[in-house]
Amino acid sequence: MRGLFLLSWILAFSPPYSSAGTASDPYFQPNSTGIKLQNGFERVYIQPFGMHGIRVRSSLMRDPTGTELSALLDPPLEGPGGNQGLAYDQAIPFQGNATLRNGNLVAEVSLGVLSFYRYETNGSLTLLTGEYTDTKALQARYYRQDFRARSFSADFSFSSDPDEQFYGVGQQACCLDHSVNKKGHVVDLINFNSQVPIPLYMSNKGYLQFFNMASQGRLEFGPYRTRFVTDEATVVDYYITTATPGDYDSLQQQYTGVTGRQPMPPDFIFGYQQSKLRYYNQTQILDLAQMFHDEQINVSMIVVDFFNWQYQGDWSFNTEFWPDPAYMAAQVKALTGAEMMVSLWPSVEDLSVNYLTMQENGLLATTRDGPGVQDSFAGVYTRLVDSTNPAAREFLWKRLNESYYSNGIHNFWIDQADGGTLGEPWENNGQNPINTLPYARSFAQYFVGTQEAAGKAYPWLHQQAIEEGFRNLTGADPSTATTSCEYMSLTRSTFAGGQRFCSYLWSGDTDSRFDVLAQQITAGVSVAASGISSWTLDIGGFSGLDVDTEYGRQLFVRWLSMGVFLPYMRVHGDRSCSIPPDPRQFLANNCPNEPWSYGEENYPIIKAYIALRYQLVPYVKSLFQLLHETGRAIMRPMYYDFSLSDPVIFNGTAANDPSIVHQFMLGPKILVSPVVIENATSKEVYLPRLPEAWVAQNLSWTHWWSEVNFGVGGSVVNVSAPLDQIPVFYLGSKSDIFAGIVS
């Protein structure tokens, strides 16, 4: 109580609202440049940062340098606190007291313990979270250091309520985790195929906390304590911001205001994207483009997957199978209007034309014990291009430009670049049966540090190699934010701030099953709640779909119907069928994955879904415009819009109830409830109770296919769901949706 009394007294005599705000929405400018807590060998800096935000940095023995890896923009896009270094005007000792306020967020240090409060409109204070204390407990800031280096490991603990809900934390791995509420979970902060954790969470109490650290570790969401664990760091760096409970859009706007916003993608990317594992020669691509042309099916992108090269690390076509890439790209464009995308891997084998140059110039990642081998694939040992090194990024882009971009293939698929190994949490990727041995990942060493300290930045910096190349070719000012994209990269992994690149994330190699189709919904809305709305998946799942079976064909159509309503509509997968592969090349799978490949009875349905996607392009483009301007999520979990108006949504989210978490909103007007059970012909859908403000606008739920009006929601409805009618409901006017009107 002593700390809260002191805080209230201090705030009562704080400066009034700043004139920088408006009369209707005043903004309280920071009343302090920062607080420095010196506690023996520990230094803690607490500073205002962004709108209603505070940044905290803790280090041992010496101050932060300010040059540590960071996803934060300095200065932020919006709000105070930029370019301040380690500025402070309050210095306090061990068990000291101090207060800092920025907007509606208040940081209080009371007897050396840091807590965060929201300043309410009535002048009261609401405790959000604070450093965890108990009669007997580990210190909230808990360090371990062996003094052989500056780095240390640390556990930072924060208070939480037993019934508190936490959302976000990036993309959970395929395929059993169907959670949206992460309370009670432990999240491993290590990237691998389909696992893209981001150390960020939003609370239903109205705050967002982000650990600005690319280190490996864990997030533990216990009943009373939320604990962040870093395996190696020189600074523990985190950011926190607040908004009214239930206002997740404001939290995302404030967070993307300090980490960056998605540039506007090019128009072509909003259409239908065709891919499979794999088109393995130029003739196949030309025949494919001709078929799309003859069948009069729209397609926006055609993708060439892996091993289009001769050796890993060549980053160029094998001319035996791809003799004239420029002609191929031009023909695809002429026949279909589609762009092309090509896959690149980070692996480099010693037979590659680039290996010796990269080795001699230190452009390859190494290992702590020296040899440098990170993994093996396709029967050879490989190393990783060290994209944390600016020189390596420059080298990589030069090869991509020479081999692909200059030949008319402008979009790049960044595959396998999850860091540490060639994309999996084990060694010997693809080397059956030895990849089942319990090898840990290699002790990778990068230009910027170790895998433990910086590994989660590896895919982020690999993305940056493409981003830098795009910007150099267009002559963009490197000091300014990208606002629009001419071309895009597709990545399997990223980190916080990845949304500011001309890039989009897909969910990795998933299993082709109905339950995984459902799981992808929770993965998609979780990563959207983590600031990454530029997201897609493998329609049909990656592995296990047999195109010759009724199960496989039905699953594909159900998955495709959901893909119509995702930020990007992308078909991909390693299909099974009765056609043998081509023995001349590695994994030269001949099984089809095109719209006409899933049975005569399904072909018209597939064509109709693709046509519907193009009708929705203006709406999707408008959603991306809002994302670019404000960070507003596109694929929205149900709690975003309805947790305050409908207790069923609130409680169902808390329990991760499938009837709630297996549906989502595409923007503010479309509710999507995919069929995730084999042979189902109808579905029960929970329609959320609309907020009173929406009811006042005469909004109500209308079934997409039958045009039956179901009112303002708050009940379960049963609708027919044949293969050609995914359960979808809309608000307002369908003509407005087709016109791209989202307000």
Side-chain angles (χ1 to χ4, degrees), residues 165-448:
Q165 297 181 40
F166 292 106
Y167 319 117
V169 205
Q171 176 184 282
Q172 67 256 26
C174 183
C175 294
L176 297 178
D177 184 352
H178 290 249
S179 67
V180 169
N181 176 21
K182 306 300 180 181
K183 186 70 167 182
H185 288 230
V186 174
V187 178
D188 294 317
L189 299 176
I190 181 171
N191 291 48
F192 52 83
N193 189 346
S194 84
Q195 161 103 343
V196 189
I198 297 174
L200 170 154
Y201 48 84
M202 295 190 296
S203 165
N204 67 296
K205 293 175 66 176
Y207 68 93
L208 177 153
Q209 192 163 9
F210 162 55
F211 291 88
N212 179 36
M213 302 175 67
S215 57
Q216 293 182 175
R218 297 186 310 281
L219 268 171
E220 303 169 354
F221 296 99
Y224 299 99
R225 177 180 64 179
T226 300
R227 179 160 59 181
F228 170 77
V229 179
T230 174
D231 289 348
E232 183 181 349
T234 56
V235 177
V236 176
D237 184 354
Y238 67 89
Y239 158 86
I240 185 169
T241 188
T242 189
T244 303
D247 187 359
Y248 300 102
D249 286 323
S250 287
L251 290 178
Q252 288 293 317
Q253 180 168 357
Q254 288 150 210
Y255 166 72
T256 56
V258 300
T259 58
R261 300 219 171 99
Q262 181 71 46
M264 276 300 295
D267 285 353
F268 73 83
I269 204 90
F270 299 131
Y272 173 79
Q273 302 177 31
Q274 178 64 45
S275 182
K276 75 167 188 175
L277 190 161
R278 69 185 174 94
Y279 302 112
Y280 56 85
N281 64 45
Q282 182 171 314
T283 301
Q284 290 179 331
I285 294 294
L286 295 174
D287 289 346
L288 177 69
Q290 187 68 54
M291 191 69 170
F292 271 103
H293 173 272
D294 295 346
E295 293 294 310
Q296 296 184 325
I297 301 174
N298 281 327
V299 60
S300 69
M301 180 177 287
I302 291 175
V303 183
V304 177
D305 200 353
F306 74 162
F307 278 77
N308 56 76
W309 49 79
Q310 183 174 9
Y311 299 112
Q312 295 177 72
D314 284 350
W315 299 307
S316 62
F317 280 119
N318 183 342
T319 56
E320 179 181 353
F321 300 99
W322 309 90
D324 195 343
Y327 171 77
M328 175 181 65
Q331 282 296 101
V332 166
K333 190 76 170 179
L335 287 167
T336 67
E339 292 288 330
M340 290 195 67
M341 174 178 278
V342 67
S343 170
L344 67 114
W345 282 24
S347 50
V348 183
E349 59 180 286
D350 57 6
L351 290 178
S352 168
V353 65
N354 297 313
Y355 178 81
L356 286 178
T357 299
M358 298 187 76
Q359 167 69 347
E360 289 171 355
N361 289 279
L363 307 184
L364 297 170
T366 185
T367 52
R368 201 168 302 171
D369 55 359
V373 170
Q374 268 87 32
D375 215 333
S376 60
F377 196 88
V380 298
Y381 288 108
T382 61
R383 295 177 64 177
L384 302 181
V385 55
D386 186 359
S387 292
T388 75
N389 184 338
R393 294 198 297 272
E394 183 179 357
F395 181 91
L396 173 62
W397 175 254
K398 183 174 183 292
R399 296 294 296 127
L400 297 177
N401 185 29
E402 292 169 350
S403 303
Y404 303 119
Y405 194 96
S406 63
N407 285 308
I409 301 173
H410 302 136
N411 305 278
F412 296 95
W413 178 2
I414 307 170
D415 201 356
Q416 301 292 123
D418 308 78
T421 62
L422 194 53
E424 302 293 349
W426 58 73
E427 293 289 329
N428 298 306
N429 186 348
Q431 303 299 309
N432 290 324
I434 60 174
N435 67 0
T436 60
L437 293 175
Y439 290 125
R441 277 182 163 183
S442 64
F443 290 113
Q445 293 275 158
Y446 304 116
F447 181 81
V448 296

Side-chain angles (χ1 to χ4, degrees), residues 509-524:
D509 295 350
T510 56
D511 295 340
S512 297
R513 304 193 310 263
F514 274 94
D515 64 302
V516 178
L517 167 58
Q519 190 264 351
Q520 290 293 280
I521 299 170
T522 63

Side-chain angles (χ1 to χ4, degrees), residues 125-179:
L125 295 162
T126 299
L127 177 65
L128 301 171
T129 187
E131 294 178 335
Y132 178 81
T133 61
D134 200 352
T135 304
K136 300 293 183 184
L138 292 178
Q139 292 295 313
R141 305 188 303 272
Y142 190 76
Y143 307 92
R144 295 173 298 279
Q145 187 177 34
D146 65 11
F147 292 97
R148 288 182 293 178
R150 281 192 56 199
S151 59
F152 52 83
S153 59
D155 304 355
F156 271 47
S157 297
F158 299 87
S159 61
S160 67
D161 298 334
D163 60 351
E164 191 169 354
Q165 297 181 40
F166 292 106
Y167 319 117
V169 205
Q171 176 184 282
Q172 67 256 26
C174 183
C175 294
L176 297 178
D177 184 352
H178 290 249
S179 67

